[in-house]
């Protein structure tokens, strides 16, 4: 009787053990598999809402985006604002450079939906750790202020810092080693691209899709153990092509379309 009881327990435990092993393998794959393509909402859902507004960010996040982009400009009194253009005319109608305006002057500017030009701190305060930020520095003097804000809001693990200037990324890396770093380039025909390709500080190479979205470029970057992203991919055909090529990430104005294609 004792033997039969033990045998029955063993027969019962066997499938449980197998189930535990399968569950462990499943979660290991999902936690450490890096095959998922990262979709970056370019200036938010900017194909549908005004770029770099809360409306654009809110919509991108509502669609399911986990990465929203911020371009940085700096006011005359050294406050970081989020804008792609150095001049405010295109979005606000006021033909002035942000660097020539104080934060008090910039705070009076409005875009067509009534929102202000937001500071980077406005964005961090609103979204916190609910999303990830892809932040482009354009000037050397932005690095120190950016580092301070990231540390203040404890967002180092939620940030990809991007720049066309390798030196800015290397400087940022000395202060924030847990962040990710993305080197941007229009093409591969420059020294900085080749330096970034072998730099231990750089995690991602991001190229203009024009003339670069091809198998050889992707292999060149991935063979250096770096991720390869492209900007800015908006059409259905280009997204499908990028997916077929196995890109690691991309910028798009149309978050919902990209998430649908890459789901």
């Amino acid at each position: 009787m004792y033997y039969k009881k033990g045998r029955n327990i063993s027969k019962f435990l066997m499938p449980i053990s197998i189930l535990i092993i399968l569950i462990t393998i499943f979660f290991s794959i999902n936690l450490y598999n890096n095959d998922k393509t990262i979709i970056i909402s370019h200036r938010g859902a900017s194909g549908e809402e005004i770029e770099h507004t809360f409306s654009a960010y809110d919509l991108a996040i509502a669609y399911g985006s986990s990465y929203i982009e911020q371009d940085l400009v700096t006011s005359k009194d050294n406050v970081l604002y989020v804008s792609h253009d150095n001049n405010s005319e295109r979005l606000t109608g006021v033909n002035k450079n942000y660097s020539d305006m104080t934060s008090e002057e910039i705070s009076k500017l409005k875009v067509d939906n009534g929102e202000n030009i937001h500071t980077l701190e406005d964005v961090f305060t609103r979204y916190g750790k609910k999303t990830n930020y892809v932040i482009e520095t354009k000037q050397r003097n932005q690095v120190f202020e950016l580092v301070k804000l990231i540390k203040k809001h404890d967002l180092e693990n939620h940030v990809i810092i991007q720049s066309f200037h390798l030196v800015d990324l290397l400087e940022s890396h000395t202060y924030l080693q847990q962040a990710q770093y993305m080197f941007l380039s229009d093409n591969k025909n420059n020294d900085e691209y080749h330096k970034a390709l072998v730099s231990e500080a750089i995690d991602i190479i991001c190229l203009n899709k024009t003339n670069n979205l091809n198998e050889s470029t992707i292999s060149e970057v991935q063979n250096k153990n770096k991720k390869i992203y492209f900007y800015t991919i908006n059409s259905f055909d280009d997204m499908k092509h990028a997916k077929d090529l196995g890109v690691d990430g991309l910028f798009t104005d149309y978050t919902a379309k990209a998430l649908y294609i890459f789901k």
Side-chain angles (χ1 to χ4, degrees), residues 78-172:
N78 210 34
V79 176
L80 294 180
Y81 282 83
V82 178
S83 172
H84 175 267
D85 300 352
N86 293 322
N87 187 287
S88 63
E89 183 175 24
R90 180 170 65 90
L91 291 182
T92 71
V94 176
N95 184 13
K96 293 190 73 173
N97 292 332
Y98 291 104
S99 58
D100 294 329
M101 291 185 280
T102 65
S103 52
E104 182 179 0
E105 292 175 288
I106 296 173
S107 69
K108 297 175 182 177
L109 300 176
K110 301 284 186 182
V111 300
D112 283 348
N113 71 356
E115 289 189 44
N116 299 100
I117 301 297
H118 298 299
T119 66
L120 182 61
E121 184 148 33
D122 290 336
V123 178
F124 283 172
T125 299
R126 183 177 180 89
Y127 300 106
K129 296 179 180 179
K130 296 177 182 177
T131 189
N132 298 294
Y133 307 89
V134 184
I135 306 171
E136 182 178 346
T137 61
K138 298 181 180 181
Q139 302 165 347
R140 293 295 304 282
N141 63 356
Q142 294 174 333
V143 171
F144 184 65
E145 291 301 317
L146 174 59
V147 168
K148 282 201 305 183
L149 283 176
I150 291 172
K151 288 186 173 182
K152 175 181 176 181
H153 290 266
D154 190 25
L155 291 171
E156 187 170 353
N157 290 315
H158 291 264
V159 167
I160 298 174
I161 298 175
Q162 58 173 334
S163 181
F164 283 91
H165 307 293
L166 182 58
V167 65
D168 288 2
L169 298 176
L170 297 180
E171 183 177 2
S172 300

Side-chain angles (χ1 to χ4, degrees), residues 188 193 197 205 207 209 211-230 233 238 241-249:
K188 302 187 295 179
Y193 166 79
L197 201 58
I205 302 291
L207 297 169
K209 68 178 178 64
N211 299 324
N212 294 306
L213 184 57
N214 55 65
E215 188 174 351
S216 63
T217 297
I218 292 169
S219 295
E220 179 180 60
V221 174
Q222 291 178 339
N223 286 340
K224 295 294 186 180
N225 295 316
K226 299 191 186 301
K227 302 294 186 182
I228 177 70
Y229 291 18
F230 291 91
I233 299 182
D238 282 347
H241 184 48
K243 182 179 181 180
D244 291 341
L245 287 173
V247 304
D248 296 304

Side-chain angles (χ1 to χ4, degrees), residues 4-116:
K4 288 183 178 179
K5 182 178 180 182
R7 184 175 62 184
N8 290 338
I9 291 174
S10 297
K11 290 173 69 176
F12 176 74
L13 289 176
M14 182 65 73
I16 292 179
S17 299
I18 294 172
L19 180 62
I20 290 171
I21 292 170
L22 290 174
I23 290 172
T24 301
I25 292 172
F26 174 82
F27 279 105
S28 296
I29 291 172
N30 281 274
L31 285 172
Y32 299 108
N33 188 342
N34 293 320
D35 291 340
K36 183 179 179 182
T37 302
I38 299 301
I39 305 301
I40 299 172
S41 297
H42 184 231
R43 311 178 199 175
S46 58
E48 299 167 83
E49 298 290 337
I50 299 172
E51 63 191 60
H52 290 316
T53 59
F54 289 155
S55 295
Y57 292 145
D58 288 349
L59 182 59
I61 292 169
Y63 280 143
S65 177
S66 298
Y67 293 83
I68 55 175
E69 188 206 20
Q70 295 76 44
D71 297 289
L72 296 184
V73 293
T74 307
S75 70
K76 189 175 182 178
D77 49 345
N78 210 34
V79 176
L80 294 180
Y81 282 83
V82 178
S83 172
H84 175 267
D85 300 352
N86 293 322
N87 187 287
S88 63
E89 183 175 24
R90 180 170 65 90
L91 291 182
T92 71
V94 176
N95 184 13
K96 293 190 73 173
N97 292 332
Y98 291 104
S99 58
D100 294 329
M101 291 185 280
T102 65
S103 52
E104 182 179 0
E105 292 175 288
I106 296 173
S107 69
K108 297 175 182 177
L109 300 176
K110 301 284 186 182
V111 300
D112 283 348
N113 71 356
E115 289 189 44
N116 299 100

